[in-house]
């Protein structure tokens, strides 16, 4: 059965399955979580994996083995330790297999090989992971301060919301907000003049560009990878007052997220669980003003911010208000015992 008689004299050629796909690993404390998708059966049709009749089946999936090795990736299914063998198709496609009892700070190499019912193994799919002692961000209480390196210097961020905008991003993204203001740039052009018409349009502001270029570059490449991109709500501005969504790596909070309302300002998202903390920003340990991404409808040269006391006030885009960069990280990202993000 799943063989093809391709050679003279009755000899057969056995057909291996394709390698498993979507193989991924998530490192945790002394363990690694792994997911993958098992391959389809193979058929002797032009499409390869589309059956016309049952007798066209040439390679049928039987089981998949997960192999672990240190020092280098497994060269084959017998090179390393078989940590599990699954005979339930796609058993670990969504719910991960957890490899436990590992040594932290050790690189582990993994491979998965699919076997057909003839006992022929597929080519492998490969990943590596390094377990580390730490606490997942998803386990931290909202309002906890963590530190993340900017240009090698640790900077404090609040854990502002678990599962931020889950309707836009799905579950598992944690919003973090810089405790201290970082920059005052909003809508200046190269000659430091306000852009005529629509200087309060967040999507085209110099600030948004600056945050996602110069400011983002302060983080390590690994942290930038963790930051990824986040979907959020914003008011278009520039005389267009409808609510839209954007996807950016780094942004700033809206008036709504800070728990405030104001005449002629739209509702952008929902109030954050620690809005009472975030309504006050700091600079050199002193309360300071902060911009929001919320524009003021009656004035295209103004956005709405909070003063050092958390009081709502419209501000001209060239005002010296600060900004609080924020972004999301996966809930699986780890912090060490000092609540510093583990940047691997």
């Amino acid at each position: 059965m799943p063989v093809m008689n391709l050679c003279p004299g009755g000899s057969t050629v056995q057909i291996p399955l394709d390698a498993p796909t979507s193989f991924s690993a998530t490192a945790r404390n002394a363990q690694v979580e792994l997911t993958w998708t098992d391959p389809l059966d193979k058929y002797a049709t032009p499409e390869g994996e589309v059956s016309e009749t049952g007798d066209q089946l040439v390679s049928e999936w039987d089981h998949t083995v997960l192999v672990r090795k240190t020092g280098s990736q497994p060269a084959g299914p017998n090179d390393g330790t078989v940590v599990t063998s699954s005979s339930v198709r796609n058993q670990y496609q969504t719910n991960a297999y957890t490899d436990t009892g590992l040594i932290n700070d050790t690189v582990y190499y993994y491979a998965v090989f699919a076997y057909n019912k003839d006992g022929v193994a597929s080519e492998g799919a490969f990943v590596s992971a390094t377990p580390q002692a730490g606490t997942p961000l998803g386990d931290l209480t909202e309002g906890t301060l963590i530190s993340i390196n900017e240009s090698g210097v640790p900077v404090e961020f609040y854990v502002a919301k678990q599962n931020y905008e889950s309707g836009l991003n799905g579950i598992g993204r944690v919003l973090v907000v810089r405790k201290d203001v970082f920059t005052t740039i909003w809508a200046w052009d190269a000659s430091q003049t306000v852009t005529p018409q629509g200087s309060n349009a967040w999507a085209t502001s110099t600030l948004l560009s600056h945050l996602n270029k110069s400011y983002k570059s302060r983080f390590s490449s690994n942290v930038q990878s963790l930051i990824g991109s986040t979907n959020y709500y914003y008011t278009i501005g520039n005389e267009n007052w409808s609510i839209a969504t954007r996807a950016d790596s780094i942004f700033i909070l809206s008036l709504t997220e800070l728990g405030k309302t104001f005449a002629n300002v739209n509702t952008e998202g929902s109030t954050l669980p620690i809005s009472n903390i975030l309504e006050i920003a700091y600079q050199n340990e002193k309360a300071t003003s902060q911009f929001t991404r919320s524009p003021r409808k009656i004035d295209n040269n103004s956005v709405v911010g909070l003063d050092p006391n958390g009081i709502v006030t419209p501000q001209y885009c060239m005002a010296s208000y600060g900004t609080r960069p924020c972004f999301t990280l996966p809930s699986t990202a780890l912090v060490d015992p000092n609540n510093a993000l583990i940047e691997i």
Side-chain angles (χ1 to χ4, degrees):
M1 117 153 226
V3 294
M4 290 187 69
N5 192 338
L6 298 180
C7 300
S11 61
T12 60
V13 175
Q14 295 177 324
I15 307 299
L17 297 165
D18 291 334
T21 57
S22 303
F23 189 29
S24 66
T26 301
R28 293 188 178 276
N29 184 9
Q31 60 188 37
V32 174
E33 296 178 351
L34 302 112
T35 58
W36 66 86
T37 299
D38 292 315
L40 300 174
D41 296 336
K42 281 197 170 182
Y43 294 87
T45 66
E47 294 82 8
E49 292 178 342
V50 177
S51 176
E52 296 294 334
T53 63
D55 59 5
Q56 292 177 308
L57 179 64
V58 295
S59 191
E60 185 177 1
W61 181 83
D62 184 75
H63 67 283
T64 296
V65 297
L66 172 67
V67 180
R68 180 187 66 226
K69 187 181 177 184
T70 57
S72 62
Q73 73 179 26
N78 299 314
D79 182 27
T81 301
V82 175
V83 293
T84 191
S85 176
S86 171
S87 58
V88 177
R89 184 172 242 142
N90 294 330
Q91 180 178 5
Y92 300 114
Q93 184 179 49
T94 302
N95 298 316
Y97 175 83
T98 303
D99 188 20
T100 60
L102 305 178
I103 300 173
N104 286 332
D105 301 316
T106 299
V107 180
Y108 290 93
Y109 299 89
Y110 293 91
V112 280
F113 301 89
Y115 279 84
N116 64 17
K117 290 191 181 295
D118 288 321
V120 179
S122 71
E123 293 185 355
F126 306 93
V127 294
S128 64
T130 306
Q132 285 197 322
T135 302
L137 282 180
D139 291 351
L140 298 182
T141 302
E142 290 158 335
T144 301
L145 280 170
I146 65 171
S147 66
I148 306 173
N149 286 322
E150 291 183 8
S151 301
V153 177
V155 173
E156 289 186 310
F157 288 78
Y158 286 109
V159 175
K161 187 176 184 180
Q162 299 285 354
N163 297 315
Y164 177 71
E165 296 294 4
S166 58
L168 298 177
N169 299 292
I171 61 173
R173 299 297 297 181
V174 180
L175 178 70
V176 297
V177 180
R178 203 177 198 270
K179 180 182 178 182
D180 294 328
V181 300
F182 172 73
T183 181
T184 60
I185 300 170
W186 177 269
W188 293 9
D189 64 18
S191 61
Q192 296 189 341
T193 57
V194 175
T195 305
Q197 281 298 316
S199 63
N200 66 4
W202 164 251
T204 57
S205 70
T206 304
L207 174 58
L208 180 60
S209 175
H210 173 77
L211 290 176
N212 286 279
K213 292 180 181 177
S214 297
Y215 176 73
K216 184 178 178 180
S217 69
R218 296 169 66 90
F219 298 102
S220 69
S221 58
N222 287 331
V223 171
Q224 290 185 42
S225 177
L226 290 173
I227 290 172
S229 183
T230 300
N231 297 293
Y232 59 90
Y233 295 101
Y234 81 108
T235 300
I236 293 175
N238 192 19
E239 298 185 352
N240 182 342
W241 308 113
S242 58
I243 295 289
T245 61
R246 278 190 61 82
D248 291 299
S249 293
I250 301 174
F251 48 102
I252 62 174
L253 300 175
S254 72
L255 195 68
T256 306
E257 290 175 330
L258 287 163
K260 301 293 185 177
T261 58
F262 191 74
N264 300 308
V265 175
N266 286 335
T267 298
E268 300 166 293
S270 57
T271 301
L272 298 174
I274 60 165
S275 60
N276 61 321
I277 296 176
L278 297 175
E279 68 182 20
I280 304 296
Y282 295 91
Q283 189 172 41
N284 299 323
E285 299 184 359
K286 295 182 179 180
T288 186
S289 55
Q290 59 179 313
F291 279 129
T292 73
R293 65 176 184 264
S294 305
R296 189 185 188 200
K297 291 183 183 180
I298 60 174
D299 184 350
N300 275 351
N301 291 323
S302 297
V303 294
V304 180
L306 302 182
D307 71 11
N309 298 309
I311 304 302
V312 179
T313 175
Q315 280 297 320
Y316 189 52
C317 291
M318 287 178 66
S320 59
Y321 268 37
T323 55
R324 311 255 313 272
C326 62
F327 46 84
T328 65
L329 296 169
S331 59
T332 54
L334 300 175
V335 294
D336 67 18
N338 297 315
N339 277 354
L341 184 70
I342 298 174
E343 301 186 11
I344 61 168

